[in-house]
Amino acid sequence: MNLEERIRFLEFAYAGALVDSLLRFSREGILEEVTEKRRKEQILFGAQKAKNFGAKSPKEVFTKISELFNYTLWEIKEDEKGFLAEANSCKLAAMAKKVGAEPPCNIYCLDPIEGMLIALNHEHQIEVEETLWEGKSCRVKVSE
């Protein structure tokens, strides 16, 4: 197995583990509680996570996540007040839907992004306009 195949395999295995945890949290009736606790942790440790990911700017939060996990490709569209990060596909959400799991959007993607954005600048306004779970794209508006 070459390096590229190994990386793809590990990406798929990690996504599978995350989806499995969603199924288990849901079956035990604790998904909402776990999601809320993890959200608080993401905000608390957002600065360290941004540093670990090498994200020095709000836009880099999205691009670094795309590079590292390869589940979705965030495209950044700048406007006069900030930017819109948009993704048109997500491997993690697709896997979750396929096995009948709950949405992975907040617990594994949007909450970590929010934590890093808040750590980089408390003044940011973050609005999730749509997710791929319920819509045609994932759209996150960041106003600076």
Side-chain angles (χ1 to χ4, degrees):
M1 181 180 298
N2 66 38
L3 183 59
E4 188 174 312
E5 290 170 334
R6 177 178 276 169
I7 290 170
R8 279 201 167 81
F9 176 80
L10 290 172
E11 290 169 353
F12 183 78
Y14 184 62
L18 295 177
V19 169
D20 182 63
S21 70
L22 284 171
L23 284 169
R24 293 176 190 277
F25 294 153
S26 295
R27 288 180 185 154
E28 296 299 320
I30 60 170
L31 179 59
E32 191 173 313
E33 176 185 347
V34 171
T35 299
E36 185 54 35
K37 286 181 180 178
R38 282 185 51 93
R39 181 179 181 277
K40 290 176 184 174
E41 291 168 1
Q42 297 297 340
I43 291 170
L44 184 64
F45 297 111
Q48 185 61 47
K49 184 168 279 194
K51 181 179 176 185
N52 291 344
F53 281 32
K56 296 179 177 90
S57 72
K59 292 173 196 140
E60 281 188 325
V61 168
F62 293 92
T63 58
K64 296 290 185 178
I65 283 178
S66 291
E67 291 171 13
L68 182 61
F69 294 108
N70 196 30
Y71 296 150
T72 190
L73 176 61
W74 289 100
E75 294 183 32
I76 307 298
K77 299 173 183 173
E78 296 196 40
D79 64 24
E80 65 280 350
K81 294 183 181 179
F83 65 91
L84 176 72
E86 185 172 19
N88 294 313
S89 67
C90 176
K91 293 174 191 171
L92 187 57
M95 285 178 72
K97 282 183 178 185
K98 190 171 188 174
V99 300
E102 295 294 317
C105 308
N106 286 348
I107 192 169
Y108 294 128
C109 187
L110 297 172
D111 291 347
I113 286 171
E114 179 186 25
M116 288 187 276
L117 289 172
I118 289 170
L120 290 171
N121 184 342
H122 290 290
E123 302 301 316
H124 289 307
Q125 299 295 318
I126 305 155
E127 178 188 356
V128 177
E129 295 182 348
E130 179 180 36
T131 68
L132 280 158
W133 195 261
E134 298 169 343
K136 295 184 182 194
S137 67
C138 193
R139 298 168 49 93
V140 180
K141 177 75 177 149
V142 179
S143 301
E144 302 172 332

